Amino acid sequence: MTATGSAQPRAVKKRVAVLISGRGSNMAALIDAAKSPDYPAEIILVASNVPDAAGLAYAREAGIATEAVDHRRFGEDREAFERALDAKLREYRIELVCLAGFMRLLTPYFITRWNGRLLNIHPALLPQFKGLHTHRRALAAGVERHGATVHFVVAEMDSGPIVAQESVPVLAGDTEETLAQRVLEVEHRLYPRALRLVAEGRGSFATPGREKASC
Ligand code: GRF
């Protein structure tokens, strides 16, 4: 109860950055979800390692700050690229980072710095089909169900604790494209749902021995 007896103080929204490399349809889904007044996170920044990534234009039109940190400027030095990216995230006082089609492998430097505050969406039902070409491999394996997973990022690729998953049926006659489209529709619901859980503190994770993130 407040002094007036009614109005509740508004919860402070988590400051989120979305990292992309391409079209950014998951980023767009997060931006749309975050427009809702009761959503617990705000998309403060969209950053990309690809300066002309289509998603950057979408974010700009949505009134969101964008930054391009071109990985090619850093040659083979992945950590130098990550330091530049990390500096941007800190400049915007980012609390949670969502990878959404971000096509750079991250080093332990960045993963440790964002331990427990770094999410990724993967187009498969992890632990099945880690890595690339998940839809093609799901069809080749003849699985009945496929889907998407949002998970915390750890050093081992596509292996962190799972926040949320949703499956779709694999239908007779599916091609890589039709299956990818069905999974993508799920991704656009799943990522906003998973980010909500984490931002509300209902999904959290920290590598043992490290300080637990408060997110
Ligand atoms: C999505 O399928 C996502 O799961 C994967 O990369 C794709 C990115 O698509 N990590 P978009 O850029 O969000 O449209």
Side-chain angles (χ1 to χ4, degrees), residues 15-20 43-48 65-69 81-99 102 106 109-111 113-115 117-119:
R15 297 174 67 82
V16 172
V18 185
L19 303 189
I20 63 167
I43 311 301
I44 300 290
L45 173 68
V46 173
S48 180
T66 62
E67 294 282 354
V69 181
F81 160 71
E82 292 175 0
R83 284 186 192 282
L85 185 59
D86 183 67
K88 288 291 174 202
L89 299 175
R90 283 167 200 279
E91 187 182 317
Y92 287 85
R93 293 182 291 113
I94 296 303
E95 297 170 289
L96 285 171
V97 177
C98 292
L99 306 181
F102 184 68
L106 294 167
Y109 162 77
F110 191 89
I111 291 171
R113 250 175 124 64
W114 290 92
N115 178 40
R117 299 179 296 151
L118 182 58
L119 295 172

Side-chain angles (χ1 to χ4, degrees), residues 23-26 100-101 121-123 184 187:
R23 68 186 164 184
S25 70
N26 278 289
I121 187 157
H122 182 73
L184 196 61
E187 293 185 41

Side-chain angles (χ1 to χ4, degrees), residues 108-140:
Y109 162 77
F110 191 89
I111 291 171
T112 303
R113 250 175 124 64
W114 290 92
N115 178 40
R117 299 179 296 151
L118 182 58
L119 295 172
N120 181 44
I121 187 157
H122 182 73
L125 294 173
L126 291 173
Q128 282 187 317
F129 309 123
K130 296 175 182 179
L132 296 174
H133 309 302
T134 57
H135 310 308
R136 191 188 307 168
R137 286 158 58 211
L139 288 172

